[in-house]
Amino acid sequence: MVTPPRVVAVVVAYNRRDLLVEVLSALSKQTRPVEAIVVVNNASTDDTSQVVRTWAEAITLIDLAENTGGAGGFAVGMAAAVTRHNPDWIWVMDDDTVPERNALLGLMNTATAYQGKNLAAVGSRVEWTDGGEHPMNTPRFNPFATAREKRAAHTVEAMPVRSLSFVSSMYRADVVRSVGYPIADYFLWNDDFEYSTRVLKGRCGLSSAASVVVHKTARRGSTDDDPGARFRFEVRNKIWLFRYSQSLRPGEKVVYGASSVARWARTFMRSAERKVLREGFTQGRREAEERPPRSNAETLKDAGVPEDIFAELRRAE
C-alpha cells in the first residue's frame, strides 16, 4: 500500500482571531485532510493564542515575542513543519485566507497528475469575497517556460508560473530543506516573490485552477495600489532582491526589474500623496544601500523562536 504524502499547513496569524477561526475551520473540513497544522502567532495583541489552544490539541502553536511580519512568520512556521512533522509538502497561507473544501485536494491532484519534471510548488486560484480573481494575488505566467512544460501544465488544467504568493501555495519539503526558508528581514514585502523564485529556479511551479481559496482582505486591492509610507519596504526589499538574491537569473532581473519600475510609476501617478511615496522611496533605497538583508538567525534572535526551530533556521543559512 502506497503511503499518501504528508501535508502540513502553516498559518501565520496577527490580530485576526475571528478570521483565523474561519481558516482553521476550513482546514479541518478539507476533503483531503492535512496531517498537521502549524500556527505562528506574530505577537498578536488580541486573544489569538487562546483561540488556537482551545481549537484543537493537534495544532502546533508557535508564540513569537515580536511581530516578524509574514516573512519571519513563514520562515519560523515552515521550519517548525520540517522539524516537528516530517512533511512531504508544506502548504502556507495567511490568517485571512480561507480555503474552499477541495482546495488541498485540488493542489494534490494537480501535483500527482503532472507529468512534467521537477515540480517543486503548486499555488491556488485566489478569489476575493465577490468570487472574482483577487488582483493582488493573480498568478504570473512563467514567460521562460518551455513548450514541454506548457503542454504538461495544460494537461492538468494548470499554468506554469515563475513565482507564487504566500496567500496559498504548497512547497515540496525536500526542496525547502535544500534551499532554506524565507528571509525574515524582508519584512512586509517581496518575501514570497524572493522565496518562490528561489524555490522555482531550475524547477517547475504551477498555478492550479482546481484549488480555490478566498482572500478576505478589507478591499479588493491591487499590487499597484498606493501603500503610503510602507512603500519604503517595497523599494528596500526589491533592491535587496535584485542586488543580493540568487533567485533570479540576470536576464530575469532585467525583465522583473523593468516590471517593478513600471508598477512604481503607476502607483506614483495615481497617488494623492506623492510626497509620502518620494520619502518612502528615498528611505527604502538608503536602507538597501546601507546593508544586505540579515541572516534569519540574526533577524529572529530576540523573537522567542523555540530552540529546535531556531537550530533548523541556522542550519539552513
Side-chain angles (χ1 to χ4, degrees), residues 26-33 91 99-105:
L27 286 173
S28 71
K29 297 174 183 175
Q30 291 294 299
T31 53
R32 195 292 188 188
W91 183 23
E100 295 193 349
R101 284 179 56 82
N102 292 324
L104 181 54
L105 180 65

Side-chain angles (χ1 to χ4, degrees), residues 100-301:
E100 295 193 349
R101 284 179 56 82
N102 292 324
L104 181 54
L105 180 65
L107 290 174
M108 293 306 302
N109 284 347
T110 298
T112 302
Y114 182 66
Q115 296 299 306
K117 295 182 179 179
N118 210 7
L119 180 66
V122 187
S124 303
R125 171 184 165 87
V126 182
E127 297 180 349
W128 195 50
T129 54
D130 63 358
E133 194 167 31
H134 203 308
M136 187 183 295
N137 310 114
T138 303
R140 301 293 194 271
F141 174 76
N142 181 6
F144 311 100
T146 66
R148 178 177 295 181
E149 288 170 344
K150 294 175 186 176
R151 288 194 299 271
H154 179 75
T155 299
V156 294
E157 298 183 356
M159 180 175 71
V161 293
R162 185 66 180 88
S163 67
L164 289 165
S165 166
F166 281 160
V167 168
S168 174
S169 50
M170 187 175 73
Y171 300 88
R172 226 175 66 210
D174 63 317
V175 176
V176 171
R177 293 184 182 96
S178 175
V179 305
Y181 298 97
I183 299 173
D185 220 7
Y186 274 66
F187 186 85
L188 284 187
W189 239 303
N190 295 305
D191 50 325
D192 47 5
F193 182 75
E194 192 283 332
Y195 186 70
S196 62
T197 52
R198 184 168 15 124
V199 166
L200 296 177
K201 187 177 182 180
R203 304 179 185 90
C204 294
L206 299 173
S207 174
S208 172
S211 176
V212 177
V213 301
V214 180
H215 193 192
K216 292 194 171 184
T217 55
R219 61 189 184 87
R220 197 172 179 269
S222 180
T223 56
D224 56 5
D225 282 355
D226 188 344
R230 295 189 301 168
F231 189 53
R232 156 199 173 194
F233 298 109
E234 157 69 10
V235 172
R236 183 196 66 182
N237 296 357
K238 195 61 68 67
I239 293 174
W240 274 350
L241 190 151
F242 293 135
R243 180 174 295 180
Y244 298 110
S245 176
Q246 301 300 310
S247 66
L248 298 174
R249 300 179 180 88
E252 292 177 320
K253 290 185 178 182
V254 172
V255 172
Y256 290 113
S259 175
S260 294
V261 171
R263 188 171 63 256
W264 292 352
R266 290 195 302 271
T267 300
F268 183 81
M269 293 304 295
R270 295 173 182 174
S271 175
E273 299 288 342
R274 295 179 182 177
K275 180 182 178 181
V276 174
L277 293 183
R278 282 195 295 268
E279 291 173 349
F281 179 86
T282 300
Q283 184 177 3
R285 184 179 65 180
R286 182 175 63 250
E287 291 176 353
E289 291 172 348
E290 287 174 351
R291 63 170 178 85
R294 297 170 295 175
S295 69
N296 281 346
E298 174 66 18
T299 304
L300 300 172
K301 64 181 180 180

